[in-house]
Amino acid sequence: MPLPHRGRGSRVAGSRVASTSLPRATAHSPRRAGRGAPSSSHAQRLTRRRHSSEQVPPGPEPQADFRSGKWLQERAGGDARDSRQAARAEMGSRHRICSQEEVVIPCASDNDSGSVDLQLSNLENIKKDPSSLELTDSDISDIAGLSRESLTESFRHLTQKGPLSEAVAERLIQSIQEVFDGELQSELEKLTFLRSLSSLSRTLPYDETTESFIHSHIADIVRILNMLVEEEPVHSLFSSMHREVFVTITDLSYQDVHLLFGSEDRADLFSLITKSIITLPSVTALIQLQEIMPSGPYNTECLYRQTFQAFSEMLQSFVVKDPHLENLDTIFKQMDPWLQSTKDHERARATASMAQVLKCLSRHLSLKLPLRFQKLGHLVALMALLCGDPVKDVAEEAAEGTHYLLHITLRLKCISYDKKNHPSLRRAMKKCRELLELYNIKRFYSCPFKIAQVFEVFLNSNELCQFVMTTLDSLENLKHPCTQQSAGELLVTLVKNAESRFEKVPEIMGVICARLSIISQPRVRQQIINTVSLFISRPKYTDIVISHLLCHPVPYDRHLAELWRTLEVELSSTTWILWRLLRKLQKCHNAPTQEKMAYVAVALLMTLLIQIHHSVGLTMSDVAIPSGLYAEQEMSSEVTPLCFAMQATKTLLLRTLCWQEFNIMEKNKGWTLLEGKECHLQGVSLLANALLERNHLLAHKVMYLLVPLLNRGNDKHKLTSAGFFVELLQSPVARRLPSIYSLVRLKDWLHHGNSVFKFLALRGLRYLIKHQEMREGIKSLLPCIVDLLRETDEKIVLLAIQILLQLVETMDFTTLTAMMKTLFSLFGDVRPDVHRFSMTLFGASVKSVKYTDKKGVENQVLDSLVPLLLYSQDENDAVAEESRQVLRICAQFLKWKLPQEVYCKDPWYISPSEAGAVCTFFGKKCQGKVNLLAQTLTFSKNAKLPIRRAAVLFVGLLLKHMDHSELKMKGTDWIKNDLRDLLSDPEPSLRIIASRALFRVHKIGAEPDPRQSGLRTLMGCLPT
């Protein structure tokens, strides 16, 4: 059904895109004040200065000036009223297109009677005698810079147009119902639906049918709005759909129909529409996108500003009637992550929206108990931090929002304070007034620590904790160093002024200790440490702070060590702190288990593990037991020093609540491994990995503790420490260790005479190689690692191959060729895994050879062909398959196309035709067939039957392709001797194949020499 055009009065941002046949509904709220009335409503005056498309003249009253001087100059120039009339006339057209020339810097409403003078010109008139202080609205207005608009004034201009006829309402209901039953196709249908819904909301106050219809279909409305928003492009703004959705929600909100509150699907819609507007690209990016992809009749910048204004007005509509601040709580939950966004334009939008919500709320504040907003401290801290934001626009918006937040806070505290605390509230009001009188108000809101001073007097203990936690969380913002600076100033200021009103000091200390490592600026670090100094200096918190700091391994945590060293306290406080610290250490055995164990468990765990290693194989007779200890009972023969050490280790894990780690040791027979002489290090490795998986914080403490222990004691001591340390190198924290404690240490172990240290060094390198920044240092160790390929210990060779596989592409040519020679010598190794993985690494080496170096390794590749071909017949399927794969890589390197018979898995002796095809291929491709024959014959003495049989078969077939004259010139005796030896082999199949090959050799030997037959012919021609 076509709908008539619906005018929106002076509200530009809420204007519709397409014409309709329905009159614009006039809602009975401040939001609707401008419809048909000579003056605009308050909500219409809540236009963001940077996000509106109209410019209006300054009002007669002084404004809250948070803007730069440049903005004031721009605002003063020109006839703003003409600009606004031009904008209205333009928006009255069918498409309401804004041209680039009409986009001007916006400002506040021309009738903003609630604006305040921040110059403190009236301070002399508002100073009162403290004894006569009364908690009234006038008291709040008397505080410098805070004036409050009368609610009566805000609502005095509300007007009501005539109601919609019953027939029109029925048609609207019918059209909306059709949408519920069907689906929306075109943009016109979508806009028509939204306008119909908005117009229908006008009849809610007097039409029960409409009221019943709307309330019974809220779920449908939410569903369709959700669909409309989801269908819009995420990274562009080409239509007014978002704006229309915001306006519709606003219209219904003023009729007490809340589409974004009350259920999970509504909350999801709120989150979706918030994200849709906040995450749009910056205005500059949108304009550039329009130049690339024209968006039809819309000017992107103008459309964006209108859309953002509609979003802002929607948020404000939620708090106009919010006596319990329940809606403010929901809005803040949605805006919170965006206020902390790392993207400047997202943070700017969120800050602007929040500031406007606070402004609207301060003008329409009518609080009633109980109050639902429980995050005042969090909000104050965020706004204070944003006041120091490096982006000027964000800081100015935050300053304006903080201005109105202070007014809201005063009203909130007046209504929520208990009558018994009236004196304290009066003192807080007095202190607030005195502080504001001291500061230049124009600069006050740009100084976070001054904001903290003023707000602190009104925050309770829970809100103070919120403030501190939020400020500490902001220390993670590494993109803007000035944010860390603001956070440091806020913390010191708040703790210094709040004195003893904190309750959650342990939680605060925990966050401080966790954040110290990420604070790089010396000044901010000192401010955080000064915060700890303030806490520990107050007797109320001394024991709490000491107990928490003692839970950390101070000697091994450089950040905590720095904190202890640089605490700044007065001499009298130092004496008190030292006395309390001494008492704490003296009574540590009486402290709760978790608390006392935390700072001794790390050292004690390693001590016990080392003791277990020393105790393996010892009996009680090897230990000096104090006399009289077992005087009354005979010691069991089953009791050993090892038993005591094991029981102590288990008890330690249980008493430090390491139940998961204990369970892992139980399931994987870790205790049995620890007790074994040969497998002790496996048990140590298992426990280290269990700690790293389940209790990484304790594992990191152990790692730092182990650094000085690695060079102490005998080999058992060092090996236990090294085994645990190496496993902890898997942790990302290992990257922070200086190379002298990691790579240099592992390099020394590579040259150690004890093969166990070599194994541990390679294991550590395998873990460190996962950290990209460590690879360059490991590359310098490649020659040492290549040398370890010759080790007799299989575990060392396999570990070396694993490391080299990850670094083969980065090797220089010299190291690469040396490694390939070593790997070639491992072909046929009696250790199957060494044999297999040496071929794997050889193939990877061939693939990594650069084009310019191919000639240098061609001979090595050719020499590898026969061994690879013969090992493809190995009885070990994994070795045979790997041989075929590497043979394929070598053929690609040589640009050969191998016959498919090469990849056949059947033994050659049962598939002679396939063996013949393979031999024919190599007989044609290879030069120097005599050398090829000699290389093959060496494998006839291989210990494995399949390899001997394949070698002899290959020799017999290769003889068919030999140059007989060349072979006879070099003689065949060496071939015959090797083949005759095989005639006595116990395997019949091998004897048969060898006899056939020997027959071919004899046949070649029986053939006449072509040179001798030619000589006889020549001699026969001579005369006798």
Side-chain angles (χ1 to χ4, degrees):
M1 178 179 68
L3 301 175
H5 173 70
R6 298 181 295 167
R8 302 274 316 165
S10 63
R11 183 154 62 94
V12 176
S15 55
R16 300 296 190 177
V17 176
S19 300
T20 65
S21 61
L22 294 176
R24 163 59 74 196
T26 303
H28 307 289
S29 68
R31 169 74 160 60
R32 302 293 182 267
R35 298 175 182 174
S39 60
S40 61
S41 70
H42 176 68
Q44 291 168 351
R45 299 196 306 270
L46 292 173
T47 305
R48 301 309 299 153
R49 291 170 177 160
R50 291 177 186 76
H51 302 281
S52 171
S53 61
E54 61 176 318
Q55 184 180 16
V56 289
E61 299 182 16
Q63 300 292 312
D65 178 18
F66 299 94
R67 302 293 186 261
S68 61
K70 180 179 179 182
W71 180 85
L72 293 172
Q73 294 170 8
E74 290 176 346
R75 178 185 169 193
D79 189 348
R81 293 187 182 275
D82 292 343
S83 299
R84 181 172 61 176
Q85 294 298 331
R88 286 178 178 173
E90 182 68 19
M91 292 306 297
S93 66
R94 184 174 187 273
H95 295 291
R96 299 177 185 259
I97 304 170
C98 289
S99 64
Q100 287 284 6
E101 291 75 18
E102 290 170 347
V103 177
V104 295
I105 297 177
C107 62
S109 168
D110 58 347
N111 191 26
D112 193 352
S113 61
S115 298
V116 293
D117 182 5
L118 298 184
Q119 304 305 320
L120 281 185
S121 59
N122 60 344
L123 276 181
E124 296 301 325
N125 299 327
I126 65 172
K127 293 180 180 179
K128 294 185 176 182
D129 183 359
S131 61
S132 63
L133 181 64
E134 298 294 338
L135 301 180
T136 63
D137 288 352
S138 60
D139 289 322
I140 296 176
S141 298
D142 284 341
I143 292 181
L146 294 178
S147 63
R148 185 167 179 265
E149 181 184 21
S150 169
L151 293 181
T152 305
E153 177 66 18
S154 296
F155 287 93
R156 64 180 174 80
H157 49 266
L158 295 182
T159 61
Q160 179 177 352
K161 289 187 177 181
L164 295 178
S165 67
E166 184 176 348
V168 173
E170 288 179 357
R171 289 200 301 272
L172 288 175
I173 292 175
Q174 182 181 358
S175 66
I176 294 171
Q177 183 64 55
E178 290 174 356
V179 173
F180 293 157
D181 299 334
E183 59 181 14
L184 296 170
Q185 297 290 342
S186 65
E187 181 177 355
L188 179 59
E189 290 178 353
K190 297 174 182 178
L191 296 176
T192 301
F193 166 75
L194 292 172
R195 294 167 185 171
S196 299
L197 191 60
S198 184
S199 296
L200 190 63
S201 67
R202 171 183 166 187
T203 66
L204 281 170
Y206 57 84
D207 191 330
E208 294 182 357
T209 302
T210 300
E211 183 179 9
S212 175
F213 175 78
I214 292 292
H215 283 284
S216 63
H217 288 85
I218 286 181
D220 293 323
I221 297 172
V222 170
R223 173 178 56 82
I224 292 178
L225 293 182
N226 194 84
M227 177 195 69
L228 293 178
V229 176
E230 285 184 336
E231 289 178 352
E232 288 297 297
V234 178
H235 300 298
S236 60
L237 188 65
F238 291 153
S239 76
S240 63
M241 190 60 63
H242 280 101
R243 183 186 68 191
E244 296 293 336
V245 169
F246 299 152
V247 172
T248 300
I249 294 174
T250 305
D251 289 338
L252 288 167
S253 175
Y254 277 116
Q255 301 300 337
D256 293 326
V257 177
H258 297 293
L259 300 180
L260 306 183
F261 304 96
S263 65
E264 186 177 350
D265 57 338
R266 300 185 202 183
D268 291 342
L269 176 60
F270 197 175
S271 177
L272 178 64
I273 64 175
T274 302
K275 182 179 180 181
S276 70
I277 185 68
I278 297 293
T279 59
L280 281 174
S282 64
V283 177
T284 303
L286 287 173
I287 293 174
Q288 292 174 349
L289 183 62
Q290 184 187 30
E291 295 174 354
I292 300 172
M293 303 171 59
S295 56
Y298 300 105
N299 175 279
T300 298
E301 183 176 2
C302 185
L303 180 60
Y304 161 73
R305 296 186 187 281
Q306 295 169 9
T307 303
F308 188 87
Q309 181 180 340
F311 173 73
S312 179
E313 291 184 4
M314 179 194 74
L315 295 180
Q316 295 169 59
S317 72
F318 300 152
V319 297
V320 169
K321 299 177 183 179
D322 190 17
H324 303 291
L325 299 185
E326 190 171 5
N327 292 350
L328 176 64
D329 185 69
T330 304
I331 293 173
F332 182 51
K333 285 180 182 177
Q334 295 292 339
M335 302 304 296
D336 186 8
W338 305 114
L339 290 169
Q340 303 178 66
S341 173
T342 57
K343 295 181 179 179
D344 294 341
H345 65 278
E346 292 181 356
R347 201 167 61 257
R349 289 168 184 159
T351 306
S353 302
M354 201 67 207
Q356 203 65 354
V357 167
L358 294 172
K359 179 179 179 181
C360 180
L361 181 62
S362 71
R363 301 300 175 82
H364 300 285
L365 204 60
S366 179
L367 299 178
K368 295 179 183 179
L369 296 176
L371 298 176
R372 308 291 185 189
F373 187 64
Q374 302 298 326
K375 295 185 178 181
L376 180 60
H378 183 36
L379 177 57
V380 171
L382 270 183
M383 297 304 290
L385 287 166
L386 289 168
C387 285
D389 197 276
V391 179
K392 188 175 182 180
D393 288 352
V394 175
E396 290 178 349
E397 296 288 358
E400 184 173 356
T402 306
H403 170 75
Y404 294 108
L405 179 59
L406 179 56
H407 174 255
I408 295 169
T409 302
L410 296 177
R411 297 294 303 167
L412 187 150
K413 294 301 177 180
C414 285
I415 193 173
S416 61
Y417 257 79
D418 189 2
K419 291 183 178 180
K420 297 179 181 178
N421 294 325
H422 252 53
S424 63
L425 179 58
R426 285 198 296 270
R427 287 193 297 271
M429 296 281 286
K430 178 184 176 183
K431 185 177 179 180
C432 175
R433 181 181 295 110
E434 290 173 348
L435 288 170
L436 288 175
E437 288 174 352
L438 291 175
Y439 298 138
N440 180 321
I441 299 301
K442 190 171 184 179
R443 297 182 180 179
F444 165 70
Y445 291 103
S446 62
C447 190
F449 81 89
K450 293 180 181 178
I451 295 173
Q453 277 186 308
V454 172
F455 275 92
E456 171 270 323
V457 300
F458 296 108
L459 301 181
N460 59 34
S461 59
N462 185 52
E463 291 163 350
L464 285 172
C465 184
Q466 291 177 8
F467 191 107
V468 171
M469 291 298 191
T470 303
T471 307
L472 288 171
D473 288 340
S474 69
L475 293 173
E476 293 183 343
N477 189 342
L478 304 179
K479 182 180 179 181
H480 297 302
C482 62
T483 303
Q484 285 196 353
Q485 295 174 7
S486 298
E489 294 175 355
L490 282 174
L491 278 177
V492 173
T493 303
L494 195 72
V495 176
K496 187 181 295 184
N497 288 277
E499 296 182 337
S500 302
R501 292 193 289 122
F502 292 94
E503 291 182 355
K504 299 181 179 180
V505 175
E507 289 85 345
I508 294 173
M509 289 302 305
V511 177
I512 287 177
C513 292
R515 297 288 186 273
L516 269 179
S517 61
I518 64 174
I519 305 172
S520 56
Q521 301 181 61
R523 182 167 177 267
V524 180
R525 288 179 69 85
Q526 191 56 51
Q527 287 172 332
I528 302 302
I529 293 173
N530 289 345
T531 302
V532 180
S533 303
L534 291 170
F535 275 125
I536 202 172
S537 299
R538 295 191 171 95
K540 180 179 179 181
Y541 305 129
T542 302
D543 284 354
I544 297 174
V545 176
I546 288 176
S547 298
H548 190 87
L549 292 180
L550 287 179
C551 290
H552 296 268
V554 177
Y556 315 107
D557 188 326
R558 63 186 180 88
H559 304 291
L560 267 298
E562 177 189 1
L563 192 153
W564 278 105
R565 288 195 306 269
T566 56
L567 284 175
E568 294 185 0
V569 292
E570 298 178 357
L571 181 60
S572 58
S573 298
T574 303
T575 305
W576 161 257
I577 292 169
L578 289 174
W579 181 73
R580 296 307 302 165
L581 178 60
L582 178 62
R583 294 290 294 169
K584 190 72 178 174
L585 294 175
Q586 288 174 341
K587 295 181 178 181
C588 69
H589 60 281
N590 294 326
T593 302
Q594 187 175 1
E595 179 183 335
K596 77 172 183 179
M597 287 296 185
Y599 60 89
V600 298
V602 178
L604 187 55
L605 177 62
M606 288 313 305
T607 301
L608 290 174
L609 288 176
I610 293 169
Q611 187 61 41
I612 289 174
H613 201 174
H614 278 285
S615 301
V616 173
L618 294 181
T619 63
M620 294 306 294
S621 60
D622 299 318
V623 181
I625 303 174
S627 59
L629 186 61
Y630 295 98
E632 300 179 359
Q633 58 182 352
E634 184 178 351
M635 187 181 305
S636 170
S637 59
E638 296 179 358
V639 176
T640 63
L642 178 61
C643 175
F644 285 125
M646 290 294 297
Q647 290 301 320
T649 305
K650 293 178 181 180
T651 303
L652 176 63
L653 289 179
L654 293 174
R655 296 287 281 176
T656 50
L657 306 183
C658 296
W659 298 321
Q660 295 280 359
E661 296 82 342
F662 188 93
N663 186 46
I664 291 174
M665 292 294 287
E666 287 277 358
K667 284 186 174 181
N668 295 277
K669 299 181 180 180
W671 305 122
T672 303
L673 292 173
L674 278 177
E675 293 175 342
K677 185 176 181 179
E678 301 298 330
C679 54
H680 172 76
L681 287 181
Q682 295 180 40
V684 171
S685 173
L686 180 62
L687 180 56
N689 280 285
L691 278 177
L692 197 59
E693 177 185 352
R694 299 294 182 177
N695 196 340
H696 60 275
L697 291 178
L698 181 59
H700 295 161
K701 295 172 186 176
V702 174
M703 181 170 65
Y704 286 110
L705 167 72
L706 286 172
V707 170
L709 296 180
L710 295 173
N711 284 333
R712 296 179 186 173
N714 57 21
D715 277 355
K716 288 186 177 181
H717 187 130
K718 293 177 181 177
L719 282 173
T720 301
S721 302
F724 210 107
F725 176 77
V726 161
E727 296 304 318
L728 299 182
L729 293 179
Q730 300 175 73
S731 168
V733 179
R735 293 176 295 186
R736 303 177 190 170
L737 284 175
S739 61
I740 192 173
Y741 299 133
S742 54
L743 288 177
V744 174
R745 183 93 60 187
L746 297 179
K747 181 180 179 181
D748 292 340
W749 292 348
L750 287 176
H751 297 92
H752 201 283
N754 190 332
S755 62
V756 180
F757 277 104
K758 294 179 181 178
F759 172 76
L760 291 176
L762 289 172
R763 195 172 177 88
L765 290 174
R766 188 184 66 176
Y767 293 141
L768 289 180
I769 207 170
K770 297 176 182 177
H771 310 308
Q772 291 294 330
E773 56 271 32
M774 306 290 285
R775 289 198 166 203
E776 197 62 34
I778 297 175
K779 284 172 61 178
S780 63
L781 304 179
L782 281 175
C784 300
I785 300 173
V786 170
D787 290 340
L788 293 177
L789 292 174
R790 300 185 179 92
E791 285 286 327
T792 56
D793 190 327
E794 181 179 3
K795 292 186 296 183
I796 292 178
V797 177
L798 292 177
L799 266 177
I801 290 175
Q802 289 179 31
I803 295 169
L804 294 170
L805 275 171
Q806 298 185 62
L807 297 174
V808 65
E809 294 182 355
T810 63
M811 290 183 187
D812 59 87
F813 182 69
T814 303
T815 305
L816 186 67
T817 53
M819 183 182 71
M820 290 177 69
K821 289 179 182 178
T822 305
L823 291 171
F824 184 75
S825 68
L826 294 176
F827 287 7
D829 195 281
V830 294
R831 299 163 293 186
D833 287 339
V834 173
H835 180 183
R836 174 188 170 194
F837 289 111
S838 64
M839 291 191 297
T840 302
L841 181 54
F842 187 87
S845 303
V846 173
K847 290 174 68 174
S848 66
V849 174
K850 297 178 182 178
Y851 179 79
T852 54
D853 298 328
K854 281 192 173 184
K855 286 292 183 183
V857 297
E858 187 174 339
N859 288 335
Q860 290 191 50
V861 175
L862 287 170
D863 290 341
S864 69
L865 295 178
V866 169
L868 291 172
L869 186 63
L870 296 177
Y871 286 125
S872 69
Q873 301 296 304
D874 198 280
E875 58 191 358
N876 186 315
D877 291 339
V879 171
E881 180 61 29
E882 193 64 34
S883 299
R884 286 189 284 269
Q885 292 299 324
V886 177
L887 187 61
R888 179 180 56 81
I889 294 172
C890 292
Q892 290 176 349
F893 176 86
L894 297 170
K895 297 183 180 180
W896 291 1
K897 185 176 181 181
L898 294 176
Q900 287 301 315
E901 288 80 2
V902 171
Y903 306 107
C904 179
K905 297 181 180 180
D906 294 332
W908 284 349
Y909 75 95
I910 65 172
S911 304
S913 60
E914 293 177 353
V918 172
C919 188
T920 299
F921 175 81
F922 280 92
K924 292 179 178 179
K925 282 287 186 181
C926 296
Q927 297 177 355
K929 295 181 180 61
V930 174
N931 294 333
L932 189 66
L933 189 66
Q935 186 183 19
T936 308
L937 272 176
T938 60
F939 287 90
S940 65
K941 301 178 179 63
N942 194 280
K944 292 183 178 181
L945 172 63
I947 305 301
R948 295 200 308 275
R949 187 161 49 200
V952 176
L953 180 61
F954 190 77
V955 167
L957 294 172
L958 189 61
L959 288 171
K960 295 180 179 181
H961 304 281
M962 295 287 293
D963 184 346
H964 294 181
S965 59
E966 180 185 0
L967 187 59
K968 291 178 70 174
M969 285 178 62
K970 294 190 176 182
T972 58
D973 291 343
W974 55 280
I975 305 175
K976 294 175 182 178
N977 293 335
D978 287 343
L979 292 176
R980 285 194 190 101
D981 292 340
L982 294 173
L983 295 177
S984 57
D985 194 279
E987 172 58 35
S989 62
L990 180 59
R991 295 199 300 268
I992 294 172
I993 295 172
S995 64
R996 290 176 181 173
L998 188 60
F999 174 76
R1000 288 196 179 97
V1001 176
H1002 282 299
K1003 187 177 180 180
I1004 293 174
E1007 290 179 357
D1009 191 337
R1011 293 175 301 173
Q1012 293 182 359
S1013 62
L1015 181 60
R1016 291 193 190 99
T1017 303
L1018 181 61
M1019 293 297 292
C1021 295
L1022 293 176
T1024 56

